[in-house]
């Protein structure tokens, strides 16, 4: 905890804050602190492969769906139609996904991964696994499982739906 305090800037005000709990007393502080570091390292690993975190989430979602509509990807990503369209366009430009006409529909399009996209997703998933191992590998399996269960319980309790994609 001392290293965290050393990184904080001293208060410019001399006002007493004894009635305010310290940052380190809040679980949210620790969740954000760890999350930021986990996310930043993963972002850097993905960018070295030419993919953003948002593109990774879209690729992984499309792999799970097999094929999907714009609407299903928008729902999965929790993005606006315009933002999701930009992600899809970037994936197309990189040759990782493509839009196809849906069978039996003259207008509706399906989104599918290309062979290149299907080959890339497992490699990126290994980076995600390695990132988890880097940050959480020192924990006993029982503690890792408890941490995952606690996070899942929070998601369920608060009915959180939007997948973090940024």
């Amino acid at each position: 905890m001392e290293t965290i305090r050393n990184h904080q800037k001293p208060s410019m005000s001399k006002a007493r804050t004894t009635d305010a709990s310290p940052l380190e007393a809040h679980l949210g502080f620790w969740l954000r602190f760890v999350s930021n570091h986990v996310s930043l390292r993963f972002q850097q690993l993905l960018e070295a492969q030419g993919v953003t975190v948002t593109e990774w989430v879209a690729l992984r979602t499309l792999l799970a769906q097999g094929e999907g509509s714009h609407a299903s990807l928008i729902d999965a990503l929790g993005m606006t139609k315009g933002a999701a369209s930009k992600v899809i366009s970037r994936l197309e430009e990189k040759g990782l996904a493509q839009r196809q006409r849906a069978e039996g529909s003259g207008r509706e399009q399906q989104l599918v991964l290309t062979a290149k996209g299907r080959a890339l997703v497992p490699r990126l998933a290994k980076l995600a696994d390695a990132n988890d191992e880097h940050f959480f590998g020192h924990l006993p399996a029982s503690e890792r499982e408890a941490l995952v269960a606690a996070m899942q319980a929070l998601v369920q309790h608060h009915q959180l739906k939007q997948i973090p994609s940024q």
Side-chain angles (χ1 to χ4, degrees):
M1 217 181 308
E2 195 58 41
T3 58
I4 293 170
R5 286 191 184 123
N6 290 340
H7 291 296
Q8 294 175 355
K9 294 180 182 177
S11 174
M12 300 304 278
S13 168
K14 296 203 180 216
R16 292 184 54 117
T17 58
T18 56
D19 59 339
S21 56
L23 286 174
E24 298 89 355
H26 300 277
L27 181 57
F29 168 82
W30 291 109
L31 287 171
R32 180 72 177 213
F33 189 86
V34 172
S35 175
N36 283 355
H37 287 278
V38 172
S39 297
L40 177 61
R41 185 173 185 273
F42 186 54
Q43 176 186 345
Q44 292 168 339
L45 291 170
L46 289 176
E47 287 176 353
Q49 300 297 312
V51 177
T52 68
V53 173
T54 303
E55 291 166 350
W56 153 246
V57 173
L59 289 167
R60 189 61 191 89
T61 301
L62 287 173
L63 182 69
Q65 292 177 347
E67 62 182 43
S69 66
H70 284 261
S72 66
L73 188 61
I74 289 167
D75 287 343
L77 296 177
M79 300 178 133
T80 65
K81 184 177 180 180
S85 183
K86 288 178 184 178
V87 172
I88 293 164
S89 293
R90 287 196 318 259
L91 292 175
E92 285 183 307
E93 290 168 9
K94 294 176 181 184
L96 301 173
Q98 63 186 18
R99 301 171 212 229
Q100 297 178 340
R101 293 268 182 231
E103 289 185 34
S105 174
R107 294 183 60 184
E108 188 176 332
Q109 292 182 339
Q110 296 288 349
L111 304 171
V112 297
L113 292 178
T114 62
K116 181 179 175 183
R118 282 190 305 279
L120 181 61
V121 173
R123 290 194 343 248
L124 299 179
K126 286 180 183 173
L127 293 177
D129 294 340
N131 197 51
D132 278 359
E133 184 64 25
H134 175 81
F135 282 98
F136 308 110
H138 69 285
L139 297 173
S142 61
E143 288 184 24
R144 288 174 77 163
E145 291 166 8
L147 187 55
V148 169
M151 296 298 104
Q152 290 171 339
L154 287 168
V155 167
Q156 184 178 9
H157 176 78
H158 293 287
Q159 299 178 3
L160 305 176
K161 305 280 186 219
Q162 186 174 347
I163 296 173
S165 61
Q166 298 178 1

